[in-house]
Amino acid sequence: MKELKKILGLQIRRIRKTHNFTQEQFAEIVDIEIPTLSNIETGKNTASLQTIINVIEKFQIEPNDFFSFVRYKKQQKDPLDIEINQRVKLLPNELKSSLLNILEYLK
């Protein structure tokens, strides 16, 4: 969490500096106190959801761009698992119950 606070703070600082605003000007635009902005930028505090929304809206930033530092690795599903799930979904409940019994036996 500490690392996320720092990264989020750096992102907000980058946006402020890109637009050549002082902390005072930026804080007024996004409706927060100057010390709060300072603490956010240094990673001492986490920006509230409302502050993040204000930054995104006031500076017309796409949320995906704002959170570009987040890396999400989608796990690949095993094709065999997908095939089994699809076939099981098509089975009548009676056969699903029998299949479950067989799987329990195989444990």
Side-chain angles (χ1 to χ4, degrees):
M1 183 67 167
K2 194 173 189 179
E3 186 67 25
L4 179 60
K5 286 196 298 190
K6 282 187 171 188
I7 294 170
L8 187 58
L10 290 172
Q11 179 72 325
I12 289 175
R13 177 183 286 162
R14 182 191 62 76
I15 293 166
R16 176 177 66 80
K17 289 189 176 247
T18 297
H19 289 86
N20 296 314
F21 285 115
T22 64
Q23 283 189 334
E24 293 82 8
Q25 293 167 323
F26 192 85
E28 185 176 335
I29 291 168
V30 296
D31 197 29
I32 58 175
E33 299 295 321
I34 298 163
T36 302
L37 175 59
S38 178
N39 287 336
I40 290 169
E41 287 187 354
T42 58
K44 291 178 184 169
N45 290 2
T46 303
S48 69
L49 180 57
Q50 186 59 58
T51 298
I52 293 169
I53 290 169
N54 288 349
V55 170
I56 288 171
E57 288 179 347
K58 304 281 181 172
F59 294 93
Q60 298 179 344
I61 300 168
E62 287 293 324
N64 285 343
D65 294 337
F66 183 86
F67 292 106
S68 63
F69 59 88
V70 176
R71 299 288 179 247
Y72 173 73
K73 184 177 178 184
K74 188 175 180 180
Q75 290 184 339
Q76 296 292 327
K77 290 194 175 185
D78 182 354
L80 184 58
D81 287 341
I82 294 170
E83 178 70 21
I84 290 169
N85 284 330
Q86 288 174 343
R87 288 184 182 212
V88 169
K89 285 179 184 178
L90 298 174
L91 292 175
N93 283 339
E94 184 179 304
L95 287 177
K96 287 180 187 177
S97 179
S98 297
L99 181 58
L100 182 60
N101 289 334
I102 292 169
L103 292 172
E104 287 293 324
Y105 177 77
L106 293 175
K107 272 191 187 176

